[in-house]
Amino acid sequence: MTRCVQSGLPLTLLATLLVACGGDTTPPGATASGDDDGEPMVVMEQNNGGMHAQAGANLDLPAGFPEDVAHYPGLNIYGASAIPNMGYTLAALAQGSPAEVAAFYSREMAELGWTEAANAPNGPGQMLRFEKGARSISLNLIPNGDDTTLSITALN
């Protein structure tokens, strides 16, 4: 797991800086495309030991991401990793406060058959954990102005 974090973290940080700074240079291993406004954006992809990681803006869910996990409306995924035989991680931004985002996940995950195992304050944010059989989903919600930054971990 440490190797996965060591490989994915620099990629995510580099892509975040590139997306924030803009520019017209696409680094090796990245694809450049335009968003709906025609603005260039950079999506970095890396495959390392079977782990697939992406960083960019408005990314799609990784292939194979569990279909029975709620998807917050308008979620902007800017980091996604698939870790073989373990699960998935997402870094994202959601419109709304941590309390609003937490209420959505509590309601929607229950409707999808998940049991809420934890829902507690975490500093200025909130932490939630859901279980379904041997699987678990953890969400860390951190206020980011009027929005919420999410860290989502889905374990098989």
Side-chain angles (χ1 to χ4, degrees), residues 45-126:
E45 290 193 39
Q46 181 180 25
N47 288 299
N48 187 1
M51 184 181 113
H52 180 90
Q54 279 189 309
N58 293 310
L59 299 172
D60 293 328
L61 289 169
F65 192 85
E67 293 181 14
D68 62 346
V69 174
H71 306 292
Y72 193 82
L75 189 66
N76 177 353
I77 300 169
Y78 58 85
S81 298
I83 306 165
N85 303 317
M86 288 186 68
Y88 303 86
T89 62
L90 302 177
L93 189 63
Q95 293 180 341
S97 69
E100 292 168 324
V101 175
F104 168 85
Y105 278 101
S106 290
R107 180 183 65 250
E108 297 297 318
M109 293 294 281
E111 288 183 17
L112 291 167
W114 291 84
T115 300
E116 190 170 291
N119 186 338
N122 185 15
Q126 197 158 350

Side-chain angles (χ1 to χ4, degrees), residues 36 50 102 130 136 145:
D36 292 339
F130 300 92
S136 68

Side-chain angles (χ1 to χ4, degrees), residues 2-3 7 34 42 59 95 104 110 115 137 140 148 150 156:
T2 302
R3 174 184 264 168
S7 326
V42 175
L59 299 172
Q95 293 180 341
F104 168 85
T115 300
I137 305 291
N140 285 307
T148 297
L150 285 87
N156 298 337

Side-chain angles (χ1 to χ4, degrees), residues 29-50:
T31 57
S33 61
D35 63 14
D36 292 339
D37 297 329
E39 292 293 319
M41 64 181 212
V42 175
V43 175
M44 303 260 318
E45 290 193 39
Q46 181 180 25
N47 288 299
N48 187 1

